[in-house]
Amino acid sequence: MNIPSSEPIPPEEEGESLPYKHRRLRRSFSRDRDAGRSAIQSISHLLSPSFDYYLGFLLAGMICAAAMLLDAPGFYLLAVLFAPFLGPVFGIPFAAVLGSGWFFLQSLFHLLAGGGLIFAIGALTGWISVNLPAGAEFTLISTHNAFSWPNLIVAVVGAGLTAYLLVRSPRQKPLVANIAVVYGLMLPLAASGFA
């Protein structure tokens, strides 16, 4: 039995409402896809090193060499501050997640080249220290050359914070969090070259 209503109910026409809904959904998905591509491109641009990367490593390595020869802790801090943003350190896992072999190899090459430069400067500093007059003491190098849990924790926290800040704002380099990563990676590498 049908109950009479006071207003007539218009018949539903499926053909008119579905295309509008589908078009609206397609537009929102394409906007999300475009925003995701834009974020990935800006992050990969930040992680790709330039000439400043190697210049920063050269300058930081020279300051680190002076810190090792003079046994001055303040110069170690200065070397860390002059170090470049270690984009290739974060580019390697980023490329692995994206599945980009070319970006992975590029990041690996730049990381090895920058690390090799720091190691070579440390080795040159060690060779210079052998030719210094007897009586020169290098006590601070052993703190960076030996494994310590606090240094590892600083590097891991710095890497996590840098990764978080890269994802949160992909158009800006997280230079402050990078200092912890540089402290955990660059100084032990230079001290190993020195030894």
Side-chain angles (χ1 to χ4, degrees):
M1 170 178 232
N2 290 342
I3 300 175
S5 65
S6 61
E7 296 179 23
I9 300 174
E12 290 185 24
E13 294 182 21
E14 293 182 20
E16 292 178 2
S17 64
L18 285 180
Y20 173 73
K21 288 179 183 177
H22 285 293
R23 278 183 287 175
R24 191 174 64 196
L25 283 174
R26 283 185 195 142
R27 272 190 242 132
S28 69
F29 285 139
S30 66
R31 273 188 245 131
D32 291 343
R33 227 180 277 141
D34 292 341
R37 283 189 198 132
S38 173
I40 288 172
Q41 286 175 349
S42 60
I43 289 174
S44 63
H45 178 71
L46 278 179
L47 298 179
S48 299
S50 61
F51 177 72
D52 297 342
Y53 175 77
Y54 294 104
L55 186 64
F57 263 128
L58 186 63
L59 186 60
M62 290 171 35
I63 295 170
C64 191
M68 288 188 279
L69 289 175
L70 298 174
D71 208 32
F75 282 0
Y76 282 112
L77 178 62
L78 194 62
V80 168
L81 290 175
F82 272 94
F85 175 67
L86 296 180
V89 170
F90 302 100
I92 291 172
F94 184 70
V97 167
L98 291 179
S100 173
W102 175 251
F103 191 65
F104 179 83
L105 291 176
Q106 181 184 9
S107 297
L108 185 63
F109 170 76
H110 288 297
L111 180 64
L112 291 176
L117 182 63
I118 290 294
F119 187 83
I121 291 173
L124 180 66
T125 307
W127 180 76
I128 291 171
S129 72
V130 171
N131 297 326
L132 288 177
E137 294 184 22
F138 307 107
T139 57
L140 289 176
I141 293 174
S142 62
T143 61
H144 298 295
N145 208 8
F147 174 78
S148 76
W149 283 104
N151 288 350
L152 180 67
I153 290 170
V154 166
V156 168
V157 168
L161 187 60
T162 303
Y164 169 73
L165 292 173
L166 273 173
V167 172
R168 191 177 123 214
S169 58
R171 301 198 190 285
Q172 184 178 1
K173 290 181 182 178
L175 296 176
V176 174
N178 183 56
I179 290 173
V181 179
V182 170
Y183 180 82
L185 295 178
M186 188 188 80
L187 293 182
L189 194 58
S192 297
F194 184 88

